Amino acid sequence: MTDVTLPRDFAYARSEPHGLAAWLMGTDHKHVGLQYMATSLVFFCIGAAIAITMRTQTIVPGMKLLSPEDYNRAFSIHGTTMIFLFAMPVLIGFANYIVPLQIGARDMAFPRLNALSYWLFLFGGLLLYSGFLYGGVLDTGWFSYAPLTERAFSPHDGVSVWIVALTMLGISSVAGAINFIMTMIRLRAPGMSWLRMPLFCQATFVNSFLILFAFPSLTAALALLYLDRFYHTGWYNPARGGDPIIWEHLFWFFGHPEVYILILPAFGMMSEIVPTFSRKPLFGRTAMIISILVIGFLSFLVWAHHMFTAGLPTYFNTFMAATSMLIAIPTGVKIFNWLATMWGGALRFKTPMLFACGMIAFFTIGGISGVLQASVPFDWQVNQTMFIVAHLHNVLFGGTAFIAFAAVYYWFPKMTGRMLSDRLGKWHFWVISVGFLMTFMPMYGLGLLGMPRHQYTYAGDLGWSTLELISGIGAYIIGAGIVIFIVNIVRSLLAGEPAGDDPWDGWTLEWATGSPPPHGNFATLPFVQSDLPLWDAKHPGQPLAHIASDTQPVNETPAEVAALHAEPANADHWTKLPLLTAIAVLVVGIGLLTSLLVSALGIALLLILAGLWMSARWTVPEPPVMPRQRFTALGSGILLLIGSETVLFGALIGADLHLRVHSGLTLGIHGRLPTTLPIVNTVILMTSGIAAHYALTSYRKGRLAWFRAYITATVILGIAFLSGQIWEYAHAGFGLSSGLTGESFFTLPGLHGAHVIVGILLLVYLMVRAAHDGPRRPTETAGTAGAIARGTGTAGMVEAAVYYWHFVDAVWVVIFVVVYLL
Amino acid sequence: MTDDQQTSRHTGRTIVLRALFLVAFAGGLAGCSTQSPSMFQTRSAGAHDIAVLTYTMFAILSLVLITVWSLLAYIIIRFRERPESEASHTRGNMTIEVLWTAIPAIIVAVLFALTMQTTGKLVGGPDSVSLTVTGHQWWWQVKYAGADFETANEIHLPAGTAITADLLSADVIHQFSCPQVTGKVQMIPGTVNHVSFLPITAGTYLGVCAQFCGVQHAHMHFLLIVQPPAQFATWFKNQMKPAVSPTGAPAIAGATAVAGLPCSSCHTIRGTSLQGTHGPDLTHLASRTSIAAVTLSNTSANLRRWIADPNAVKPGVLMPTVPVTPQTLDEIVAYLEELK
């Protein structure tokens, strides 16, 4: 690590801050987890209040509680809030708190990034709601089909605010996903092999890949909509060569994995809760892990079942119907395995178990309605009716929300040291179950009776009134259940029964430490020899039957393991940087809605903060000796980011090609663009890639002078490339809003150019840092293998920056072909 | 698809499945009335096929649901913790796990096969297009092939003839939905989608827009009126005629009024000077049973209410309020009521 000297107290705090300062500066995963959970609970209550208002508006025909404009805003904000500001963050919050504990780690792999993810979430949510102050509230639905969202049909700012807010939330989520993946790859306690990781961690791991590959599609869809609204492009506007169906494809390619993102961690939680309260280990553990992988994989192949009525070819609909039905099989396997876990157990019906059983009963209905909807002809009848609304709430409320409730009752004692009242918990369960059934089961009937969704009112002679009335009353009962829940939380925080370390007699590692755990989590770590380390600790000599691949030998002795887990004395847990960085991102976002000068200011702030972030002395609370790793932590993290960015570019290129094929437009050598300069530029960029490669190999061999030379060469070539691009743009003779040619030409190379700029900045930073490093750290330079193994400091940054640069080169090759040769 | 097998006479199997289905949904369908555009009140061959598929799939999947619920109930009662309880440590069982993967796979395969079978019956239809329906915010524009008249919000069709309709949109994505007669199809601007169906039974069926399309999406309905062929022919011939000339002083004054007011910038009344294309064609307005996309029934009072202040009926509607004196309003309504 470098010895850059910063004003001591600027970004970091050595002694523990208190009160508001602690809330604002904490990076401990438990702190960030609690932030996520508390904030998502507040958004849940707001979303529920909106829902109850909506249900009141439709409780009888012709109600005039909400104007149509307000009703449309209500369902749009309700959906966006519940999905992005409640369900995702609450699951991420639990994962933040519990995953490091369950794998025996001290914290997440990138604690500062973790805190940044939280602040981006909070500010994204606040930005979305700020729209209420000035009439900029989304009113086109949570999936907002184009061209309704174009300026011509939605002139107010609601859609624009939504675009920026969701983009912030997307960055937050992708950063979190990279963090979780790296944490589970690198920070598992010795003896904890992949398959011994608890199911909640497995689910979070797979889920993180879904986030990584699904969100870029949303970002692409939003980016194109932003360009249409602010720069008069015509991506979704048929009058300008665009096609609304691109939105549907891009959005649902994200949207379907998104709903699995909302349920997979919850499935993982079920696999923790059901065994604990059955006093019996999870049945079919290997199948449960495989089913998570299959669901995760298939979730990317089903998106067009949201588009069965869009007039796509029959073979395509057929394929999507098949995959959509197939995905029911691993889901069903999970339900059966939970039932089999309970079979032969000694069931304890504490509140978490009540919600778990409720989930099995209710989610199965939703799963079945899902299989029905996968049948194309049936979907042709119920698409966009209340049947779909019933299904989605069935699985999200009866599934995700019920499990979230169970998880709160289960892990609240660990997080606060106090028990929630089981008596109030039972009231909560029964009241909300009745409310859930009353509210959502009638909606199935309404859909079958032909009632479409998104109706602010309806006629009284259509046979829908009785079911709407029942549903409306049910919503109030749900509200009552939520009130009981909140009361329970508040009372327990103030005066709940003390919980102790292990109130449920659990078998996973989080129960092997205090409630709440201290910084660093474990004073001594139990020796991990199976997937249920606490069972082994509590029943020495009576190990459970090992599952087939559970024969990982452990190399360290228990004493060595304990020594490993002494937290470094100078571990850092507090910094202002994540909060400030999130504010800078918010400034950039606000600038995108108002004036680009504001965005420029935000970017300047980001650059300063990035410099501080990368230069400052930050001691991660990790053990000093890491398992053998091929890439550094930063290098691996960048590889994951590259995976995500690949989908982003792929989505944009796909959209572009769709329109060009549609309209028969050729650019490049067959069209209007001169190609000499681009070819020269391509050669320049490829050469810079070669230089970057040798920079990395030089660094790894400790040849710092060569390293500096190659990096300089890379930067110079990169700047030459950029200059060529800028010259080309200035002399193009057409603009972004000149139709499809302008769109293709400026969007794809433009986004690529932005990546080049970031890459150059990273490399320049490396040049400066390497110059600073060189003469002062002989051990670091000679033993770069060690530095690489630690994955920290300059070694990690070099790897990250070079991989990023290679990615930029590779994308350019594709863009060059698409824009200039096709 | 006009063979007698596909009429509304149900086979024995369908009756049993339907009975089971209704028992299960007894509570849910308590509000059922013959006025609901229910996918089970089938009035075409295609809708009937979809309904039968639904009953079958529902029957199969109900068994799955009942199995899960029964197991859960049994487990909750039988394995509740008691002082003498001792939980087993079984972690898996290959046979059972294979079975509960294979059986759902078989069920899925069966459902998929049934789905493909029904889909096969539904795709395809006449190649020639009889009808073009264009979705607007928030009304339906209807044109018939080989005829130069247009109508709005009411689609008349002869019973017993298969038709194919082109579906377009003038602005945003709408969705053509009339569950008693056909599955839904999106109307995407810049694209032409098609729907084919064979209406069998005469009657009036409610259609809705089933894709959120803006502030008055909830009031964008249409009526599908299936008529015996002879009646349809009569209607068709009448629609082809230009507008009736006004008789009686109020109507004549009304005709003059509309010609001078901004009405002409949006509406067409064939045979007069009104040639606007942004709003519904009014040539035979009085032959329709409803106005404002089936929001109001077509009466004098409602016409008056609608024209005086469209925004009060459908807030956000694109039809502006044209200020007229009450007397002029009466005259306009009198004229419009003559446009049969």
Side-chain angles (χ1 to χ4, degrees), chain A residues 193-217:
Chain A
S193 65
W194 277 109
L195 290 176
R196 285 180 189 162
M197 270 202 315
L199 261 286
F200 179 54
C201 302
Q202 308 266 3
T204 303
F205 187 78
V206 174
N207 200 48
S208 299
F209 281 98
L210 264 69
I211 291 174
L212 208 58
F213 297 130
F215 266 87
S217 189

Side-chain angles (χ1 to χ4, degrees), chain A residues 139 145 248 279-280 284 309-310 337 344 347-348 361 375 378 380-381 383-384 448 450 456 461-463 467 531 545, chain B residues 28 31 35-37 39 54 69 79 81 87-88 91 100 115 173 175 179 184 186 189 193 210-212 216-217 219:
Chain A
D139 62 354
Y145 277 8
E248 292 193 45
R279 311 313 301 142
K280 201 170 154 268
T309 57
N337 271 303
L347 308 179
R348 282 196 266 145
S375 173
F378 180 74
W380 283 346
Q381 286 291 34
N383 179 260
Q384 298 302 312
L448 297 172
Y456 75 95
D461 60 350
L462 292 174
L467 293 174
D531 60 300
Chain B
Q35 302 238 321
S36 301
M39 63 175 279
T54 305
W69 283 347
F79 296 108
E81 187 180 46
S88 83
R91 303 205 66 170
W100 72 38
T115 296
I173 299 183
Q175 186 155 239
K184 300 175 173 52
Q186 283 183 20
N193 275 343
Q211 181 62 53
F212 184 69
Q216 280 300 328
H217 165 68
H219 287 129

Side-chain angles (χ1 to χ4, degrees), chain A residues 98-99 101-104 192 196-201 268 271-273 275-276 285 410-411 414 501-502 504-513 522 525-526 528 530-538:
Chain A
I98 299 295
V99 165
L101 287 170
Q102 283 192 333
I103 62 174
M192 182 162 293
R196 285 180 189 162
M197 270 202 315
L199 261 286
F200 179 54
C201 302
S271 294
E272 305 291 340
I273 292 171
T276 305
R285 196 167 190 278
Y410 186 54
W411 277 309
K414 175 54 54 182
D501 290 357
D502 186 13
W504 309 118
D505 192 15
W507 299 321
T508 43
L509 283 177
E510 74 268 32
W511 307 110
T513 178
F522 296 97
L525 197 67
V528 177
S530 77
D531 60 300
L532 295 174
L534 250 58
W535 171 282
D536 297 333
K538 292 172 184 173

